[in-house]
Amino acid sequence: MILCLCTEHAYSNILTSLPKPEGGEYGKFYSLPALNDPRIDKLPYSIRILLESAIRNCDGFQVTKNDVEKIIDWENTSPKLAEIPFKPARVLLQDFTGVPAVVDLAAMRDALAKLGSDANKINPLVPVDLVIDHSVQVDVARSSNALQSNMELEFTRNRERFGFLKWGSTAFQNMLVVPPGSGIVHQVNLEYLGRVVFNTDGIMYPDSVVGTDSHTTMIDGLGVAGWGVGGIEAEATMLGQPMSMVLPGVVGFKLTGKLRNGVTATDLVLTVTQMLRKHGVVGKFVEFHGEGMGKLSLADRATIANMSPEYGATMGFFPVDHVTLDYLRLTGRSDETVSMIEAYLRANNMFVDYNEPQLERVYSSYLALDLDEVEPCISGPKRPHDRVTLKDMKSDWHACLDNKVGFKGFAVPKEQQDKVVKFDFNGQPAELKHGSVVIAAITSCTNTSNPSVMLGAALVAKKACELGLEVKPWVKTSLAPGSGVVTKYLLKSGLQEYFNKQGFHLVGYGCTTCIGNSGELHESVSAAITENDVVAAAVLSGNRNFEGRVHPLTRANYLASPPLVVAYALAGTVDIDFEKEPIGVGKDGKEVFFRDIWPTTEEIAEVVQSSVLPDMFKSTYEAITKGNPMWNELPVPEASLYSWDSNSTYIHEPPYFKDMTMSPPGPHAVKNAYCLLNFGDSITTDHISPAGSIHRDSPAAKYLLERGVDRKDFNSYGSRRGNDEVMARGTFANIRIVNKFLGGEVGPKTIHVPTGEKLSVFDAATKYKSEGHDTIILAGAEYGSGSSRDWAAKGPMLLGVKAVISKSFERIHRSNLVGMGIIPLCFKAGEDADSLGLTGHERYTINLPTDVSEIRPGQDVTITTDNDKSFTCILRFDTEVELAYYNHGGILPYVIRNMAAAQN
């Protein structure tokens, strides 16, 4: 290893001035062309960003010249899974993940103080942007007063959390908190926070970001390298630790042609998602290029980038070009800033100019799509990548009713498939059938940042109004834009009134239905569903539709473009063939078809051109930092150490650092452990740690009731992530979770193996811990897919889980498990629990050395059971750094000990 221990920067010879056209200079930068290495010219643009970061941060310790060489030689080193460090320019948080992050930082200050060190050394060393956007519950909908009512309820429920975050913004340096009511984190990031190029202390470098929400990838559409990481990893990044990552392969995705009339960016992203899932892009970057790029707006690109987690890639990257610069101007960035960005990126060979001949870049693999081939589609009923073309939707729905219970099945007996449930809704007759739409939500970062689909949806509402169609009153409709800009252009266009007439009133600015903040259905609708076992549907313009996420009573959940959300709301059912069947009957008594309400691409473009203006972005974001009256009235303690309130059910001092000493605990033996849960494939982080409502009979509900919290004030699991007592009880509490121990029964229960008792998962785990037993989890493929949710690792750790053995892991979740000291293990190819004859009733011993120096990343590990079975797994500690985290009991204890050692 080549160390750069001299005081002079190892690459000071390529530090170059960037002159301004009018004289003077913008600043200095580390010039990739100055390296005179022909390999760099062939590198994908996304890899060049990793290279620049490594060069700029080369200190001979955290980042070495060997690391730089690995990245330059990417074509040869990437297939060998070479490990590199990466130091992103900033960290992005939302409040569901931001609260636990600030809780951990506050607890780390306490721990550092107890070790005799300066607690105030715990401060973010890179800019941290925290947007409060996940607290909006759709309690009030279909009302002109919905926005104000929901915001007042939001502040009533979350006053303590908001006050805590406001304290964090003053107690910690380098932390910007964007107040609630401002918008969805990823849209705010795209329209306002994204720098594209930093110019700090005279040094220029590309913006890059890691965020504690998996859809941080939306910023990739702006040419900013960004992706989701676990909250635990993000906290270490804030504190100056480099991220250890495997140098990724890059899939080159060539786009040609243009979208047909009436086809939306959502149709495109669902098509791309299915293609990339089939190709296999887990752990890889996807880089888009080709002549079709010029036909895609920045908002369309951001929609595709946003759903990187759904197609499995670390990033879906769109290099900066003229479209990017135009968007920066549209969103209110100054001409001087845009000129600086273009000058830097051109000078450092990071700008794509499609007016010039393109050098052939090398990719790990190649895909191509003619945009003209994309068809209107939706995805569901339970997974984002299960795409269904609109013309096939009716037949697919009937197949789902027939199929056995699974991702594409509900097993409804033939004789019950056509039943009609009649009920009274506020004094008027109403009815539901299998497939009836009860939630229709224009929501989520994926689509609400895209004016074309938002205004397209409003045009559908307008055409329907003019023809005399109305959404049935028992459909819970809502409109939750990603920023105030959307409201401005809807009002400017005159189309908001048509949304209102169809029940799509503004309910709030934030992440709502897509995260599970759907609010309650009307009690008569709930009763009709539950008492008659109706397979009710939700249609939302979101990115996640895992079972149990959107609402406990909607078993079928479909992702669709905002215009299609309105269309399905009007139809009132997903059991419809839009090409052949009418949506309804108009005021003139004639049947109205889908084609009658669907706007043309030209119609939408005309409204976008006249209604979306730069001043809207400027005025919205000038006001954002001023907050709102409710936020500004929150009191803020001045102390740098947080005063924990033991009675709080929102903010609680976590137990991770209690009794911590300077000596690492080392690897822990796992002997004769019981299996806490035995899962099949595709267990998501929503299954492991739900973010939505707290079920009335759950251990978390019992805990809150015992502490005097009324049911109406339970709020959501996501809002209580600052309290480990609630979150431990909420682990594996998803009401749709399927545990093989229960023989097909659905729900958050398990079997306590020694006694055979059926208990809640929390009670079973507590019983095992009280008896002195370790536990493990058995799982199938894609364990931990979905949101980058740190509590999906923190929760199992608090329950006493020592290892997870699965067929495969989602990238971020595996990292989170490592960060909390849980051992991730993978079955050998072609094997799983069933093929090995494992029932989960065995006791498991994991034969790992007790000296960490004897453990290697990716080594084989033998596991034995008490009934004489023996099998080999792959240890999924992927890097030496991860082994160091394991030795310390997790990443945060590792950081604290290093800080204390440096001070002492």
Side-chain angles (χ1 to χ4, degrees):
M1 182 178 289
I2 303 171
L3 298 179
C4 320
L5 295 177
C6 51
T7 55
E8 186 179 27
H9 193 284
Y11 291 94
S12 58
N13 61 311
I14 62 167
L15 189 61
T16 306
S17 294
L18 182 65
K20 291 182 177 181
E22 67 275 16
E25 67 176 36
Y26 288 112
K28 292 182 169 55
F29 69 102
Y30 289 93
S31 170
L32 303 187
L35 288 171
N36 293 318
D37 194 319
R39 293 174 296 177
I40 296 174
D41 295 332
K42 292 185 177 181
L43 288 179
Y45 285 86
S46 49
I47 298 299
R48 297 180 196 189
I49 293 174
L50 301 183
L51 174 60
E52 188 283 336
S53 174
I55 289 171
R56 178 168 36 87
N57 290 295
C58 182
D59 62 358
F61 175 61
Q62 290 185 330
V63 185
T64 70
K65 274 194 167 183
N66 275 357
D67 297 319
V68 173
E69 173 57 27
K70 286 179 195 174
I71 301 171
I72 292 175
D73 200 32
W74 168 84
E75 188 176 354
N76 296 312
T77 53
S78 173
K80 299 174 185 175
L81 304 179
E83 177 191 350
I84 62 161
F86 175 57
K87 301 189 82 169
R90 60 190 173 97
V91 172
L92 183 70
L93 307 173
Q94 37 89 337
D95 56 309
F96 272 16
T97 53
V99 168
V102 179
V103 164
D104 288 351
L105 290 175
M108 290 172 76
R109 276 192 172 176
D110 290 346
L112 200 59
K114 289 172 184 174
L115 291 173
S117 299
D118 181 2
N120 289 323
K121 292 292 184 183
I122 299 288
N123 265 310
L125 299 179
V126 298
V128 175
D129 300 321
L130 195 162
V131 181
I132 302 176
D133 75 332
H134 272 49
S135 305
V136 183
Q137 291 274 354
V138 187
D139 293 292
V140 180
R142 302 192 72 138
S143 163
S144 59
N145 196 39
L147 175 65
Q148 185 63 25
S149 298
N150 287 325
M151 181 169 276
E152 288 173 359
L153 285 167
E154 179 184 3
F155 266 84
T156 299
R157 289 188 182 115
N158 297 287
R159 185 178 179 84
E160 185 181 353
R161 295 172 62 245
F162 292 169
F164 177 69
L165 290 176
K166 196 172 180 183
W167 168 81
S169 70
T170 59
F172 296 102
Q173 300 167 10
N174 235 358
M175 183 180 289
L176 169 69
V177 174
V178 177
S182 302
I184 299 175
V185 57
H186 306 305
Q187 186 162 346
V188 175
N189 194 25
L190 191 73
E191 295 175 351
Y192 176 61
L193 297 172
R195 281 74 153 179
V196 185
V197 172
F198 271 87
N199 193 342
T200 304
D201 299 327
I203 300 295
M204 305 173 69
Y205 52 95
D207 187 6
S208 58
V209 59
V210 292
T212 53
D213 188 285
S214 51
H215 294 102
T216 299
T217 53
M218 189 171 192
I219 201 68
D220 301 339
L222 194 67
V224 174
W227 59 86
V229 296
I232 306 141
E233 194 172 11
E235 290 166 31
T237 302
M238 290 180 213
L239 297 171
Q241 294 294 308
M243 289 174 50
S244 178
M245 61 184 289
V246 173
L247 188 59
V250 182
V251 178
F253 200 126
K254 187 175 184 178
L255 299 174
T256 58
K258 69 175 184 176
L259 294 174
R260 285 183 286 139
N261 186 37
V263 177
T264 68
T266 316
D267 302 321
L268 172 58
V269 72
L270 295 178
T271 303
V272 167
T273 296
Q274 189 178 51
M275 288 179 66
L276 287 169
R277 290 286 294 201
K278 184 178 180 180
H279 185 75
V281 293
V282 173
K284 297 176 182 177
F285 290 174
V286 177
E287 187 166 296
F288 293 90
H289 64 105
E291 65 190 59
M293 292 278 282
K295 305 295 193 299
L296 286 181
S297 70
L298 196 291
D300 289 350
R301 298 176 183 189
T303 299
I304 296 169
N306 176 281
M307 284 191 74
S308 294
E310 282 67 47
Y311 45 80
T314 303
M315 279 206 304
F317 188 72
F318 291 80
V320 175
D321 60 11
H322 286 105
V323 172
T324 320
L325 301 180
D326 289 342
Y327 180 82
L328 291 171
R329 294 186 187 96
L330 171 67
T331 50
R333 275 79 163 196
S334 70
D335 288 340
E336 182 180 356
T337 297
V338 176
S339 296
M340 180 269 290
I341 289 169
E342 181 177 7
Y344 167 78
L345 294 175
R346 283 187 181 276
N348 223 7
N349 285 357
M350 293 180 174
F351 186 86
V352 182
D353 191 336
Y354 286 104
N355 296 318
E356 298 175 355
Q358 296 296 299
L359 288 173
E360 196 65 35
R361 293 186 292 282
V362 175
Y363 293 110
S364 308
S365 60
Y366 300 81
L367 278 176
L369 173 66
D370 183 346
L371 298 175
D372 185 59
E373 297 175 358
V374 178
E375 297 181 78
C377 57
I378 63 177
S379 281
K382 301 181 184 182
R383 295 189 300 187
H385 52 281
D386 289 332
R387 185 178 71 98
V388 187
T389 59
L390 220 53
K391 66 177 185 287
D392 295 327
M393 181 56 197
K394 188 177 180 73
S395 60
D396 190 83
W397 171 251
H398 283 272
C400 287
L401 291 179
D402 288 334
N403 294 342
K404 67 180 183 179
V405 174
F407 297 122
K408 294 288 288 186
F410 298 104
V412 177
K414 280 283 188 187
E415 65 274 12
Q416 295 181 22
Q417 290 184 11
D418 296 324
K419 73 176 178 182
V420 178
V421 177
K422 296 185 180 297
F423 64 101
D424 179 88
F425 180 84
N426 287 340
Q428 61 178 297
E431 64 179 43
L432 291 179
K433 299 186 290 187
H434 295 304
S436 288
V437 174
V438 295
I439 291 176
I442 297 176
T443 178
S444 165
C445 51
T446 306
N447 285 290
T448 63
S449 64
N450 194 324
S452 294
V453 292
M454 295 298 285
L455 289 165
L459 285 170
V460 172
K462 178 176 185 285
K463 288 172 181 282
C465 286
E466 291 170 345
L467 290 169
L469 295 185
E470 289 184 6
V471 177
K472 296 291 190 294
W474 55 84
V475 180
K476 187 168 187 177
T477 45
S478 61
L479 170 65
S483 83
V485 175
V486 179
T487 299
K488 285 184 170 65
Y489 64 64
L490 284 172
L491 291 172
K492 167 77 174 171
S493 66
L495 293 173
Q496 179 66 54
E497 67 169 296
Y498 298 103
F499 266 151
N500 295 346
K501 287 178 180 178
Q502 296 294 355
F504 287 92
H505 292 85
L506 178 62
V507 297
Y509 298 101
C511 194
T512 55
T513 306
C514 190
I515 193 67
N517 291 350
S518 306
E520 296 298 329
L521 294 175
H522 190 278
E523 58 185 17
S524 65
V525 176
S526 297
I529 294 170
T530 54
E531 292 170 10
N532 298 280
D533 199 25
V534 173
V535 182
V539 183
L540 63 152
S541 63
N543 46 54
R544 296 271 165 79
N545 56 341
F546 304 124
E547 194 171 15
R549 177 184 176 105
V550 172
H551 192 282
L553 298 183
T554 58
R555 280 192 274 166
N557 300 281
Y558 286 93
L559 306 181
S561 67
L564 279 176
V565 171
V566 179
Y568 275 108
L570 289 160
T573 181
V574 296
D575 185 8
I576 185 171
D577 182 338
F578 277 144
E579 289 190 2
K580 299 175 182 176
E581 298 178 78
I583 287 177
V585 177
K587 57 189 176 186
D588 58 2
K590 293 181 180 178
E591 292 180 333
V592 177
F593 288 83
F594 178 80
R595 57 183 172 270
D596 299 323
I597 62 171
W598 200 253
T600 65
T601 301
E602 289 73 23
E603 285 179 278
I604 295 171
E606 184 179 324
V607 180
V608 171
Q609 184 68 30
S610 62
S611 305
V612 184
L613 306 172
D615 284 348
M616 295 176 176
F617 294 89
K618 288 180 181 177
S619 61
T620 297
Y621 289 110
E622 282 172 359
I624 217 172
T625 53
K626 298 175 183 176
N628 56 64
M630 287 183 280
W631 171 262
N632 294 336
E633 289 169 5
L634 291 173
V636 182
E638 293 183 3
S640 61
L641 292 178
Y642 189 69
S643 180
W644 304 100
D645 179 359
S646 59
N647 295 318
S648 172
T649 57
Y650 276 105
I651 308 297
H652 185 262
E653 184 177 8
Y656 320 129
F657 313 119
K658 287 182 179 176
D659 305 320
M660 181 178 155
T661 67
M662 284 296 293
S663 300
H668 50 76
V670 181
K671 293 185 178 179
N672 289 317
Y674 283 101
C675 180
L676 179 63
L677 294 147
N678 185 0
F679 291 130
D681 293 344
S682 296
I683 291 295
T684 71
T685 52
D686 278 298
H687 289 122
I688 304 168
S689 183
S693 58
I694 297 172
H695 194 271
R696 60 187 301 117
D697 299 322
S698 65
K702 181 182 177 184
Y703 172 86
L704 292 171
L705 288 169
E706 288 172 350
R707 281 149 186 81
V709 179
D710 292 337
R711 291 190 190 278
K712 65 179 176 61
D713 297 321
F714 277 2
N715 214 331
S716 63
Y717 281 114
S719 69
R720 292 190 181 271
R721 285 184 184 159
N723 187 304
D724 57 279
E725 296 282 3
V726 174
M727 296 309 295
R729 288 163 173 78
T731 303
F732 300 109
N734 188 306
I735 64 170
R736 296 293 178 191
I737 202 166
V738 178
N739 174 11
K740 290 182 184 179
F741 276 146
L742 303 182
E745 179 183 338
V746 177
K749 302 280 187 180
T750 195
I751 300 298
H752 179 253
V753 173
T755 63
E757 290 179 89
K758 183 166 75 171
L759 301 170
S760 72
V761 177
F762 176 77
D763 288 342
T766 302
K767 194 173 179 70
Y768 281 126
K769 287 172 71 176
S770 69
E771 295 165 346
H773 299 309
D774 288 342
T775 54
I776 59 104
I777 290 171
L778 293 176
E782 298 180 330
Y783 182 77
S785 57
S787 301
S788 56
R789 195 161 289 170
D790 57 341
W791 268 109
K794 288 177 175 177
M797 187 276 284
L798 292 176
L799 294 185
V801 173
K802 302 301 180 185
V804 178
I805 308 171
S806 74
K807 288 176 70 175
S808 63
F809 292 96
E810 192 275 340
R811 174 186 63 85
I812 300 173
H813 185 63
R814 185 204 63 81
S815 173
N816 275 340
L817 292 175
V818 172
M820 293 310 297
I822 295 175
I823 305 169
L825 294 154
C826 278
F827 292 107
K828 288 284 189 174
E831 296 183 347
D832 59 18
D834 291 341
S835 70
L836 293 168
L838 303 173
T839 66
H841 288 82
E842 308 85 356
R843 300 185 73 174
Y844 296 80
T845 296
I846 300 172
N847 295 293
L848 263 181
T850 55
D851 184 345
V852 74
S853 66
E854 298 175 13
I855 304 175
R856 300 183 316 280
Q859 74 175 57
D860 285 351
V861 175
T862 301
I863 300 174
T864 56
T865 67
D866 63 336
N867 60 350
D868 298 324
K869 289 184 183 293
S870 178
F871 57 98
T872 303
C873 285
I874 301 167
L875 180 67
R876 286 300 311 277
F877 293 131
D878 290 354
T879 66
E880 293 290 344
V881 173
E882 290 186 345
L883 284 175
Y885 297 158
Y886 175 58
N887 188 50
H888 279 261
I891 191 170
L892 299 182
Y894 170 86
V895 171
I896 291 173
R897 289 191 182 99
N898 278 358
M899 282 191 160
Q903 290 184 42
N904 297 333

